[in-house]
Amino acid sequence: MSEFNTIARPSAHAGKLLENKTFFPDPPARGPLAPYRKQATIDWRKLKLSFHDETSLELQHRVWDFARKHPLFAHPNQTLTMDEERHLATKRMYVVQNEKMFTLSDFLERPDLATIYHQAWIAYEPSMAVKYSLGFGMFPSVIRTLDVGRLDEIVERNEKGEYLGAFGLTEIAHGTNAKGMRTTATYDPTAGVYILNTPDFEAAKCWIGNLGKTCTHLIVYAQLYTADGKHHGLNAFVVPVRDPNTLQAYPGVTVVSHPADNLLARTGDVNEQGEFVSPFKDPAKRFGASLGALSGGRISICGIANVYLTKAITIALRYSASRKQFGPDDAEDEWPVLEYQSQQFRLFPHLANNTVIRVFNLWFGKAYGDMQLKLLGGENIGATGMEVHALSSAAKPVCTWAARDGVQECREACGGHGYLKLSTIGDLRGNNDPNCTYEGENNVLIQQASNWLLSVRVKGYEKFAEVSPLGSAQFLAQYASLSKRKANWKSPSDAGSIANQLEALDWLVAYLLEESYQKMSTLRQQGKSSFEARNEVQSFFARTLSIAYGERMLLFVFAKFLANLEAGPERQALERLGSLYGAGTVLRHIGVFYQGGYFSTQSNAMALLQQSVLDLLPTIKRDAIAIVDAIAPPDFIINSPLGMNDGDVYRHMESAIMQAPEALERPKWWRDVVHRDYVQSKL
Amino acid sequence: MSEFNTIARPSAHAGKLLENKTFFPDPPARGPLAPYRKQATIDWRKLKLSFHDETSLELQHRVWDFARKHPLFAHPNQTLTMDEERHLATKRMYVVQNEKMFTLSDFLERPDLATIYHQAWIAYEPSMAVKYSLGFGMFPSVIRTLDVGRLDEIVERNEKGEYLGAFGLTEIAHGTNAKGMRTTATYDPTAGVYILNTPDFEAAKCWIGNLGKTCTHLIVYAQLYTADGKHHGLNAFVVPVRDPNTLQAYPGVTVVSHPADNLLARTGDVNEQGEFVSPFKDPAKRFGASLGALSGGRISICGIANVYLTKAITIALRYSASRKQFGPDDAEDEWPVLEYQSQQFRLFPHLANNTVIRVFNLWFGKAYGDMQLKLLGGENIGATGMEVHALSSAAKPVCTWAARDGVQECREACGGHGYLKLSTIGDLRGNNDPNCTYEGENNVLIQQASNWLLSVRVKGYEKFAEVSPLGSAQFLAQYASLSKRKANWKSPSDAGSIANQLEALDWLVAYLLEESYQKMSTLRQQGKSSFEARNEVQSFFARTLSIAYGERMLLFVFAKFLANLEAGPERQALERLGSLYGAGTVLRHIGVFYQGGYFSTQSNAMALLQQSVLDLLPTIKRDAIAIVDAIAPPDFIINSPLGMNDGDVYRHMESAIMQAPEALERPKWWRDVVHRDYVQSKL
């Protein structure tokens, strides 16, 4: 698997970097968080440097500092209407686009920084960031990948900000089943144009970021027909939809004719004779390649989801350290709620998820970037492409659901104040929600991973040695010995050992794979079609298999990451989080371990796992606020009175509440309370 | 336990009722839902009558029909600002208040109809319904309960709509710990007034429905001090906060002086000599009684949460029957997504939860109403009060989390369209969210149930025979035999039997109680205080115990309900839902069953449970749309293009989208896209 060679580790140079107050400003010496910072066993700056190097810190700082200083980027102090929000996001997008803070040549030098840059904007405000990345990132990138040099002008004018793009695959009645799209493109050889047609409202392109109000060009996926009536599958076309000078939609946007050159022709083209020609002989492969340009999206979403979780867990943990409630009868003060086991039990698993996913994203982003560079250089990437497809199909659900559940728990853990609009946790939840649905609806997408595992299993377990260069499934080649493995834990710390947990998860994936395979075979023998059998093997089997496969890989990558870190309290703190993640993962699948016999020689395995979790909670608590310091963005980006660096929750709340317009006035419509003449007016 | 004697069962009269087209309008004969209605084994009208009688149907219909016809109650076709929403909710509230559709005398005749009435308004729109029930329900009811006849005028003017009330317990820095409130009320015997004082922002009353903008009177909970400096705990005062003629806040709302009569004096009073006198000798009991007026709130919330889940599951299942995606290679049409096992597996457990909770709420509402009537009649309610407290403390978390998870799954199961504002599922999620927090934050509240169980356990298991007239814990008196019980399931249908599942859940509660008790004892022996021991026994033990105790009672009540129903396909359909609920509940706790030895003679128990679930899914599918017809409110109340009675999703979406203001226009700020002069303006 790819090594973590771009992730900086403490070194001679790091010593100097640690003194940099721009990247490592001193936390407030007073206030409710100070005691927690004092009791920490770790240096938060060193911990931060295990996820960052100087360049990534600098880029992140540049983005956030730009936003903090630019007047257009000040946070509004009241809720905007959707139109106001769109307007503001659009203006901000053009300002950012004009800044060229991270260019194509920056990317070619350090592809891994693309996610740092993108996630910094996501952390600031996603509606701008998503508009920006669709319109000025994905749009030109898809054209560059699929065009054969005919549409360079569009890319150039996009780069100048004159054209804004959008990406149009989904229709009202088809999203998940991309092949089922009903928009057609029929080539008219006489005029040399394609006639694009959306037969009805159900086939209307929909859910297309930027399309609704602002884009000038849309990449339309349509079923291609040549004049002879032959169907050539789904192909991509660049269609001008609005006049860039007036932003008026072109006439007949439901039926648009446009020049033949606008077919993105790398995977297939229509020649002068009106015939379809393609370098791909197999239409299924052509379809795959035509959609292949999108495969980075899922990996990117894993990172975006974790940005929301980072903000939520920062807010919830700082709030928990500041908020006091109850206490022993003889105590003078109430306790910070972070002191309660039940609060630790609610929040620390999500801090652990956040950390393990953070490291996984760093690694996956790099592995994917390496693969892209090889592809661009014409190298053969062998089995990597398929493994990336399967792994990203499992990882996106695992990461986005982790964010969904984590953000929700953080909301609840902040009580009523977490429900306040100004806490921003509700927005984080709303922003993460579509991550579970777009770029492959999680429940459907996740089948891609089990489909791949099952297809290799059919050929024999030994094949796993060849198909998994990234290490997500290589271990399955040892199925024979794996399947006989049993737990041999003597103590809670055995149950908490990441190495032991990985052994258990290896077994789990192997067991679920074989169960799914056997269930599938039985269904086939009962006369079910492969379509039916695949559907009926999902619940409890293939679906759980995909999830376990993803969860195991997260811990596997984390263990490798730990092995590369310098020994010290920071590594220990990370180990504890990995251990909590591992114990939680095994506990979620506990029934399978018992039923499958992995615990057949020790029925107390669950109790050992539970005790390992309970033992971890107070040790993690000691460092929790320092860990948050290492991952939290600056206050301007956190933008929640509950989660500021000084922990001064009530002062920030008071100021936010009092600054709200008309906070202290009676409503303008007070007469409708006092007089109520509308009550008597009968129908 | 209370019998279901107010819930109508098919009878001679029911036959005529079934023909009533007002209550049972014929569903559309065509469209995507028609085939599902044809294949159903049940009569949806009969199913509906197992939850309703004629009077409750009539009341519900009256509310919904009133809303459908009154112009002020039309659904806005665009998102309102918060101020607009408040304004509209306020006007609607006064209109409803003026209608007197369900009066105190109606309540005294049929207390169980109070929830039908309230939930009908919740289903229509909760911001109005909550304002209404706080201001005109809870406010006068608390005064009636705690006043000694001095504040009748306030109640009367409230009834006329002249005064609007609010209920002020929570402060900025204290919610869960009610005893920790810092607002004080100091009696000044010279002037005969109380001086109420909020020392700082942290003690400001906050989160008080109606207080922000509209109420005239606030019930303030404050620490009472007499002139001699003595402290008499938390007491309730009625404080005028706004001039009812101008709605201007009175001067010094942070320090308000008001007449001595405004102390709600049933639990304690200050006499003419300025001394505190109370009928309660024990201050802890006085505090309990002072807050006791609120105990119906939790039960009410169980029902409200289920209303949101009802709407969400209606939308998701109708959408799933209408939405087509993929299909076998040889099929002409794509399949409705409801045909896929994975979609059934996602949604049916929430339909089962919804049904089991629906029945539980009917029963609990009735049991609580009976108890209230006894209290009003001066009868001794014995152990019931404590059991209601414990059970409602477990049931509120179980029911509101079920709604939280169910609504979220429904959102995801509708894909991108479920994320649309107009799907309304996002609003249902937002509306349910505070249910998890107010009237007792779930994670703290739930400790009340385990505290009670543990306190009885300390006295000995035989005591459970006396303390549980409602049946939530009576079975624990048989601990000795219970704890030796083991599963003896031969087939998936054994695992799916509700009777067997109840046996398993009885064992589970007993096992978790004993584990929690033993863990607690160990902690005490290690020298931990009772405060510490109680905190450290929560995770995995006491918390899980409370949840299992609540979940078991839900199934217990459901089994009793089934036993009272006439045999027939409707009862069978309900049995399947109960069985799915039971299997899911046992599966969630599967590790405990294995570890505790309940499955020690059959390691395949999990496989049997899983197979029972898989067997249930297609049989439930056959009736799913008819079940929805029995629980769904009319289209006007559903108000989601995804979930209408005709299943015509795309036509309703098209109409909703096209009717949105400016749907087809360029944005007003189009010049900011085309010209972008703000981009160059440097800082």
Side-chain angles (χ1 to χ4, degrees), chain A residues 288-606:
Chain A
S290 164
L291 289 178
L294 323 176
S295 50
R298 291 195 289 271
I299 298 174
S300 163
I301 286 174
C302 294
I304 293 173
N306 212 42
V307 168
Y308 302 135
L309 182 54
T310 303
K311 292 178 82 172
I313 198 76
T314 296
I315 294 167
L317 285 173
R318 286 181 174 166
Y319 180 77
S320 299
S322 304
R323 174 79 169 183
K324 293 177 176 180
Q325 209 82 178
F326 298 106
D329 288 340
D330 56 353
E332 210 152 282
D333 281 333
E334 292 177 291
W335 281 13
V337 296
L338 187 57
E339 293 300 316
Y340 293 93
Q341 186 196 65
S342 58
Q343 191 82 349
Q344 299 163 9
F345 187 70
R346 293 167 80 174
L347 292 175
F348 292 168
H350 301 292
L351 180 64
N353 283 349
N354 178 261
T355 306
V356 170
I357 292 172
R358 176 182 310 276
V359 168
F360 175 76
N361 287 339
L362 285 171
W363 168 80
F364 206 13
K366 167 133 184 31
Y368 183 70
D370 291 349
M371 184 185 93
Q372 278 183 304
L373 288 185
K374 278 189 190 168
L375 272 174
L376 285 173
E379 266 184 80
N380 184 355
I381 55 159
T384 310
M386 196 57 223
E387 190 181 13
V388 163
H389 173 74
L391 182 57
S392 65
S393 298
K396 198 204 92 159
V398 168
C399 296
T400 57
W401 281 332
R404 173 195 68 183
D405 297 340
V407 172
Q408 178 67 25
E409 192 65 63
C410 290
R411 200 304 281 155
E412 294 182 37
C414 292
H417 297 334
Y419 191 68
L420 275 176
K421 173 78 178 166
L422 56 77
S423 81
T424 70
I425 308 183
D427 289 336
L428 295 173
R429 181 174 71 178
N431 289 332
N432 182 63
D433 217 38
N435 286 335
C436 302
T437 299
Y438 52 34
E439 301 284 332
E441 195 280 325
N442 279 357
N443 282 278
V444 181
L445 178 64
I446 207 167
Q447 301 182 17
Q448 298 293 319
S450 57
N451 286 350
W452 177 63
L453 293 168
L454 285 163
S455 73
V456 180
R457 163 67 186 85
V458 170
K459 295 178 198 147
Y461 278 106
E462 69 283 1
K463 287 286 172 200
F464 281 106
E466 300 158 25
V467 299
S468 172
L470 298 179
S472 71
Q474 215 167 21
F475 66 100
L476 288 167
Q478 276 75 54
Y479 178 80
S481 59
L482 250 184
S483 59
K484 286 178 213 113
R485 194 182 277 171
K486 285 186 196 316
N488 181 21
W489 303 342
K490 310 254 182 293
S491 64
S493 66
D494 282 351
S497 137
I498 294 178
N500 288 345
Q501 292 165 351
L502 265 177
E503 283 195 356
L505 294 177
D506 286 355
W507 175 91
L508 177 72
V509 174
Y511 179 83
L512 287 168
L513 175 54
E514 189 57 22
E515 286 271 295
S516 303
Y517 173 76
Q518 294 299 340
K519 168 103 179 164
M520 177 92 101
S521 306
T522 308
L523 289 167
R524 291 306 303 271
Q525 280 158 20
Q526 289 167 358
K528 307 256 181 185
S529 72
S530 104
F531 174 80
E532 288 169 314
R534 215 169 42 241
N535 288 335
E536 291 181 28
V537 83
Q538 291 304 319
S539 316
F540 297 123
F541 299 97
R543 184 179 187 278
T544 316
L545 165 63
S546 291
I547 291 173
Y549 159 76
E551 290 170 337
R552 178 228 162 249
M553 186 61 179
L554 263 62
L555 191 59
F556 180 71
V557 169
F558 195 72
K560 296 270 179 200
F561 168 76
L562 287 176
N564 272 344
L565 278 186
E566 204 175 71
E570 291 76 24
R571 190 171 82 180
Q572 286 171 354
L574 290 171
E575 263 168 8
R576 285 190 281 268
L577 292 173
S579 170
L580 185 63
Y581 168 87
T585 304
V586 176
L587 280 168
R588 272 197 305 283
H589 297 282
I590 194 79
V592 185
F593 285 103
Y594 275 108
Q595 158 154 301
Y598 194 76
F599 293 152
S600 60
T601 53
Q602 50 178 147
S603 67
N604 69 337
M606 188 168 90

Side-chain angles (χ1 to χ4, degrees), chain A residues 174 246 334 419 430 666 672, chain B residues 87 174 246 334 419 430 666 672:
Chain A
H174 284 94
T246 65
E334 292 177 291
Y419 191 68
R666 65 178 171 182
D672 283 338
Chain B
H87 185 188
H174 285 93
T246 65
E334 293 178 289
Y419 191 67
R666 63 179 173 182
D672 282 339

Side-chain angles (χ1 to χ4, degrees), chain B residues 175-188:
Chain B
T176 302
N177 183 3
K179 284 189 200 173
M181 297 303 155
R182 292 170 54 234
T183 298
T184 58
T186 309
Y187 187 66
D188 175 352

Side-chain angles (χ1 to χ4, degrees), chain A residues 25 106 228 252 369 409 477 527 563 569:
Chain A
D106 294 332
D228 54 8
E409 192 65 63

